Amino acid sequence: MTDLLVVAGARPNFMKAAPVLEAAGRAGLSSALVHTGQHYDAALSDVFFAELGLPEPDAHLGVGSGSHAEQTARIMTAFEPELRLFDPAVVVVVGDVNSTLACSLVAAKERYPIAHVEAGLRCHDFFMAEEINRRLCDHLSTYLFTTSRDARDNLVSEGIADERIEFVGNTMIDTLLRSADAARARGAAERLGVSAPYALLTLHRPENVDDKRILTGLLEAAEEISAEIPIVFPLHPRTDARIDAFGLRGRIDRSRIQVQPSLGYLDFLGLLADSAFVLTDSGGVQEEATVLGIPCVTLRESTERPVTVEQGTNVVAGTRREDVLAVAQVALHREGGPGQIPELWDGRAGERIAARLAEEIFALEGTATANA
Ligand code: UD1
């Protein structure tokens, strides 16, 4: 029997899962890794395995893309036999992607305890796929590991028992702190022909990039900002496709906005660390920018990570052109202050999670032996 069956499927999962797997071994727990294949491009998956030192997955479900229903259903169908085969003491899921919810549903129905890493985040926009995923997953989980104190309040207000919740810190930041020197040493900016100062732009949320009006407004804002500072823009495959579909490619001034294919983890982190500021609709980048002290302009109407606003460098700008421009001006002139590092974002979250799960699993094994 495996102690932990860890699930990862999409780009942001890999950095969150790596510290748990690493710490599990040190805590004396056996573990296996399942890759659902939600992300399958080398740039969204393989490069993360190589750079994060993740082991080869013990099972690869190869589900690929599809509508939410298709993708979720395929993951569930493929995960069920693997779950029975590995028969773990605990299923560990991370973040809020479709893989997280799909595997949680299967595990709950098969009566396996679930540990959710990054539990309790809420942006209160229930139409957003990730909000649906994280809410449902939290309610199915036995162990809810949180990254900030506000997450506990969210969970308790939804009726989740306090004793299931543990504030452990942020495993994505464990990975960042471990990788920051290597990321800087790679000299991504130099290799890509980018010289400081520059701003970084990332866009991939369907709410932004699948809506022609919003995407056009955001690209127009980028265009205006780029008159003051050059922008580096690594493209997620979804965004790349939408820019073509909406006929917007010609609207990007390539002399001021450097468009890149999706970058690997270390190159992106290196570019972020040396940037003047970042414009993004990603959740993880808001956290990474906070820890690196880089001003972050969030291109969304809300955030599930308020600690990055209250303590860190993040400002939620919304998606209207004028609002983005106003907040970008503050970031450009570094008027927002350096911010502070949130509590327990100290590189030891994976260790705390593994310690708690080891305690639970060893206690259960002790009871089983005593009853045998
Ligand atoms: C998913 C997550 C999102 C996360 C993001 C990081 C959900 C609901 N969303 O969004 O929370 O922030 O990952 O990237 O789980 N595609 C490729 N190659 C791939 C994977 C996808 O080209 O390896 C393209 C396909 O056209 C696909 C589209 O990207 O249809 C979207 O992929 P999908 O996995 O559905 O969601 P993301 O937008 O990547």
Side-chain angles (χ1 to χ4, degrees):
M1 185 167 134
T2 312
D3 291 320
L4 305 183
L5 186 62
V6 180
V7 175
R11 183 168 61 176
N13 287 170
F14 306 128
M15 315 63 131
K16 294 172 192 170
V20 179
L21 284 161
E22 202 186 297
R26 274 186 276 120
L29 294 172
S30 61
S31 58
L33 175 63
V34 174
H35 188 330
T36 65
Q38 176 174 346
H39 282 174
Y40 42 87
D41 277 4
L44 294 186
S45 175
D46 302 1
V47 66
F48 290 83
F49 274 75
E51 292 184 350
L52 300 175
L54 275 164
E56 279 288 306
D58 298 278
H60 199 302
L61 310 183
V63 299
S65 301
S67 71
H68 285 273
E70 287 164 348
Q71 191 175 58
T72 307
R74 279 207 294 267
I75 298 169
M76 289 180 70
T77 312
F79 182 62
E80 192 178 55
E82 296 295 344
L83 177 61
R84 290 180 183 151
L85 197 69
F86 285 102
D87 190 25
V90 177
V91 174
V92 180
V93 296
V94 300
D96 53 19
V97 302
N98 285 346
S99 301
T100 312
L101 176 61
C103 295
S104 301
L105 279 169
V106 175
K109 296 214 170 174
E110 291 286 306
R111 302 185 178 202
Y112 285 89
I114 301 163
H116 185 202
V117 175
E118 200 187 77
L121 297 185
R122 298 289 183 269
C123 68
H124 307 289
D125 173 0
F126 202 55
F127 292 115
M128 195 174 154
E130 291 80 358
E131 184 83 351
I132 299 170
N133 292 343
R134 53 175 93 98
R135 264 189 202 237
L136 297 179
C137 174
D138 283 340
H139 285 263
L140 297 170
S141 297
T142 306
Y143 307 104
L144 295 107
F145 293 115
T146 63
T147 54
S148 56
R149 291 198 181 271
D150 52 284
R152 177 186 296 266
D153 302 337
N154 292 333
L155 294 168
V156 170
S157 76
E158 290 174 17
I160 289 178
D162 200 42
E163 59 271 18
R164 286 161 60 191
I165 309 166
E166 189 162 332
F167 173 36
V168 290
N170 192 327
T171 60
M172 186 174 233
I173 301 307
D174 291 4
T175 297
L176 180 149
L177 295 175
R178 240 160 265 167
S179 314
D181 287 346
R184 284 200 173 90
R186 284 170 65 90
E190 201 175 308
R191 199 162 6 96
L192 300 173
V194 182
S195 45
Y198 60 87
L200 196 56
L201 168 65
T202 82
L203 288 173
H204 75 280
R205 297 231 162 262
E207 302 90 299
N208 285 342
V209 305
D210 290 359
D211 183 317
K212 185 176 181 186
R213 192 181 49 82
I214 293 179
L215 182 58
T216 306
L218 289 172
L219 291 178
E220 281 172 7
E223 192 75 52
E224 285 198 43
I225 294 164
S226 75
E228 292 193 65
I229 183 167
I231 294 180
V232 184
F233 184 18
L235 276 188
H236 184 281
R238 175 194 283 276
T239 313
D240 203 15
R242 295 303 181 276
I243 286 175
D244 274 341
F246 296 146
L248 295 171
R249 189 142 326 245
R251 303 273 286 271
I252 303 173
D253 175 0
R254 297 285 191 127
S255 68
R256 302 291 299 166
I257 302 182
Q258 184 171 334
V259 176
Q260 292 289 332
S262 268
L263 294 168
Y265 178 67
L266 294 177
D267 280 349
F268 182 80
L269 201 59
L271 276 184
L272 178 61
D274 289 337
S275 67
F277 64 96
V278 61
L279 301 137
T280 188
D281 62 6
S282 153
V285 174
Q286 297 170 43
E287 298 182 338
E288 291 166 340
T290 275
V291 170
L292 294 168
I294 302 296
C296 180
V297 180
T298 292
L299 307 172
R300 286 174 49 193
E301 302 303 331
S302 59
T303 181
E304 58 289 332
R305 294 164 161 89
V307 73
T308 62
V309 176
E310 287 151 15
Q311 297 178 29
T313 57
N314 189 18
V315 178
V316 179
T319 54
R320 287 174 53 230
R321 192 181 137 274
E322 314 78 71
D323 298 337
V324 172
L325 289 174
V327 178
Q329 278 303 320
V330 175
L332 178 63
H333 300 292
R334 293 242 168 184
E335 287 158 3
Q340 62 193 64
I341 311 276
E343 192 182 354
L344 296 190
W345 290 18
D346 58 359
R348 298 182 52 199
E351 202 179 300
R352 294 186 189 100
I353 291 168
R356 171 68 195 272
L357 292 177
E359 197 182 295
E360 296 283 334
I361 291 170
F362 296 151
L364 280 175
E365 284 172 1
T367 315
T369 316
N371 291 342

